[in-house]
Amino acid sequence: MTAHALAGALADDGRRRIFAAIVLGAASAEDVTERTGLPARVVLTGVRRLTDAGLVTGVNGALAADEASLRTAARDGRPADDAEPAADPVLRTFLRAGVLVGMPAQRSRRRLLLAHIAERSFEPGTRYPERAVDDALKPWCAAGGSDHATLRRYLIDERLLTREQGIYQRP
């Protein structure tokens, strides 16, 4: 089971309720129906879909969450780090697959992260119009860890980019 399949299986409110009831001890479709208040037909369909997805097993006729499958999905579905394993822990914490997932509150950590972004996005001495700077920063913000305008402002505040008359440059 992949993390994507897991998310798909639990995307429906009814299936989430069914899965929760099974995790909390409901061992049969009748138990699930009683605990969730859902119609039996919905429960049977939901149990089948959860079983097909690998979230639920029917060991000896009793329903149970497939914990091994969940552990495997959690382990295998982890996004790859943008940095090498030996690289700075700040980069491993705030970057996933080349995308910013958060912004450090501590200034020294934020500066380290911003320096990494500036080095990979801009050539020293090259002049960039604002639109080009925005286009270079938007991919870093795809996960919603920040927005490109905030990122641009931080780069200027930390003097990793300079701005003069709408033209940006990495010193």
Side-chain angles (χ1 to χ4, degrees):
M1 168 182 28
T2 65
H4 187 267
L6 172 67
L10 295 174
D12 177 70
D13 182 52
R15 286 193 300 268
R16 280 193 306 274
R17 290 171 58 191
I18 293 165
F19 184 67
I22 293 168
V23 167
L24 293 173
S28 68
E30 293 79 23
D31 289 346
V32 173
T33 301
E34 184 179 309
R35 290 183 185 200
T36 62
L38 294 170
R41 178 179 47 84
V42 172
V43 169
L44 291 174
T45 302
V47 167
R48 183 181 47 79
R49 298 264 323 256
L50 292 170
T51 302
D52 291 347
L55 287 169
V56 171
T57 61
V59 180
N60 299 329
L63 299 174
D66 189 346
E67 294 175 16
S69 216
L70 288 169
R71 274 193 224 84
T72 301
R75 184 177 47 251
D76 295 344
R78 252 183 252 143
D81 284 348
D82 181 58
E84 306 85 45
D88 191 281
V90 173
L91 300 180
R92 287 196 315 264
T93 302
F94 293 99
L95 293 175
R96 293 284 182 274
V99 178
L100 190 62
V101 294
M103 186 63 72
Q106 188 178 17
R107 184 171 183 256
S108 61
R109 291 180 179 190
R110 185 173 54 240
R111 183 159 181 30
L112 182 107
L113 179 64
L114 292 168
H116 175 83
I117 292 170
E119 289 170 8
R120 281 161 180 71
S121 301
F122 306 103
E123 293 296 321
T126 303
R127 297 168 54 88
Y128 298 93
E130 188 168 309
R131 172 171 249 137
V133 172
D134 289 347
D135 290 343
L137 295 178
K138 282 179 183 177
W140 290 99
C141 303
S146 186
D147 64 272
H148 69 279
T150 301
L151 196 53
R152 185 181 65 222
R153 169 56 46 209
Y154 278 137
L155 288 167
I156 292 167
D157 290 347
E158 293 296 335
R159 298 187 179 161
L160 296 166
L161 281 182
T162 61
R163 180 181 62 200
E164 188 175 313
Q165 296 177 359
I167 301 296
Y168 295 77
Q169 187 174 349
R170 184 174 146 218

